[in-house]
């Protein structure tokens, strides 16, 4: 159970590339600071990073801007950070998938080339469906349907190696169902769009990204990937 908790909890952190012995400027920051975000604008990761950037700008008295560099499971954004000067003026904001994706790179070492600064937020991944395209209304109904219709359900995730990808694999292994994983490396906002457009029937997303769509009836929450029920969703069962 604790394994799936770690897979489904989105931990956001900011990091700056710190290779070599180049000293950080004494009066940091003296100019604009940019924060590379490896997902598209609109998702919960992007929103959280923007909140942090805004507060840093207020505290430092310097502009702190967000640069969205989505794609390739975050590799595009990480390459931008790795190529930047190690002076603290290029920060990096990502979800927990960094620990898996960066470790696969042959161009940099995530333990040597990135210096973690802080974990700023966490929330459980939630499994959602489009009630207009699916006959089930709860997790038990989904499992029964999936067992009766192998591979008929497509489940969206954040790309191979992401936490939501492993969550999909874990769910199938634990229940014996067969789903068809579909990757969307742009982030949870793209996965939600695909769900609403009928490209997929299931998706892993976040509470922040799903909330307005759930309230409008366009999206249904089947379960939360945590050991305890989420305070803001007391009626949603845990998976």
């Amino acid at each position: 159970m604790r394994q799936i908790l770690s897979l489904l909890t989105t931990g956001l952190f900011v990091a700056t590339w710190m290779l070599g012995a180049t000293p950080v400027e004494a009066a940091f920051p003296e100019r604009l600071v940019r924060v590379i975000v490896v997902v598209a604008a609109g998702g919960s990761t992007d929103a959280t990073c923007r909140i942090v950037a805004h507060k840093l700008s207020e505290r430092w008295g310097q502009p702190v801007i967000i640069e969205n560099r989505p794609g390739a499971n975050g590799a595009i954004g990480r390459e931008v950070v790795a190529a930047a000067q190690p002076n603290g003026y290029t920060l990096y904001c990502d979800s927990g998938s960094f620990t898996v994706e960066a470790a696969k790179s042959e161009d940099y070492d995530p333990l040597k080339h990135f210096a973690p600064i802080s974990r700023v937020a966490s929330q459980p991944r939630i499994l959602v469906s489009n009630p207009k395209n699916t006959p089930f209304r709860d997790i038990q109904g989904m499992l029964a349907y999936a067992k009766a219709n192998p591979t008929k359900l497509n489940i969206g995730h954040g790309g191979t190696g992401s936490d939501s990808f492993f969550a999909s694999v874990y769910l199938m292994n634990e229940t014996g169902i067969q789903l068809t994983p579909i990757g969307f490396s742009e982030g949870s906002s793209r996965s939600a769009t695909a769900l609403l457009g009928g490209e997929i029937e299931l998706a892993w997303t976040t509470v922040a990204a799903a909330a307005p769509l759930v309230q409008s009836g366009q999206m249904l929450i089947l379960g939360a990937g945590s050991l305890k029920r989420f305070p803001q969703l007391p009626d949603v069962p845990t998976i």
Side-chain angles (χ1 to χ4, degrees), residues 1 18-19 24 27 35 40 66 68 87 92 104 113 140 164 180 185 196 206 210 214 219:
M1 289 296 292
M18 298 289 288
L19 177 64
V24 176
V35 180
I66 293 290
N68 294 94
N87 54 15
Y92 168 70
K104 299 192 299 185
H113 297 170
Q140 291 81 8
S164 51
T180 302
S185 61
L196 297 179
T206 61
V214 171
M219 188 178 287

Side-chain angles (χ1 to χ4, degrees), residues 99-131:
T99 55
V100 175
E101 290 300 322
K104 299 192 299 185
S105 174
E106 297 180 356
D107 299 322
Y108 48 80
D109 184 331
L111 297 180
K112 295 180 180 179
H113 297 170
F114 290 83
I117 297 173
S118 177
R119 174 184 177 184
V120 299
S122 66
Q123 61 178 317
R125 288 284 182 182
I126 55 174
L127 181 64
V128 296
S129 66
N130 184 338

Side-chain angles (χ1 to χ4, degrees), residues 12 37 39-50 68 123 186-190 192 205-206 208-210:
L12 305 177
V37 179
V39 296
S44 59
T45 299
D46 174 74
T48 303
C49 296
R50 290 179 184 275
N68 294 94
Q123 61 178 317
E186 300 91 340
S188 58
S189 59
R190 174 66 182 90
T205 186
T206 61

Side-chain angles (χ1 to χ4, degrees), residues 1 19 22 31 35 59-60 67 74 77 85 107 124 129 131 146 174 201 203 239:
M1 289 296 292
L19 177 64
T22 304
R31 52 185 170 81
V35 180
R59 175 170 295 187
W60 289 340
E67 288 188 18
Q85 291 293 322
D107 299 322
S129 66
E174 289 295 303
E201 289 74 41
I239 301 177

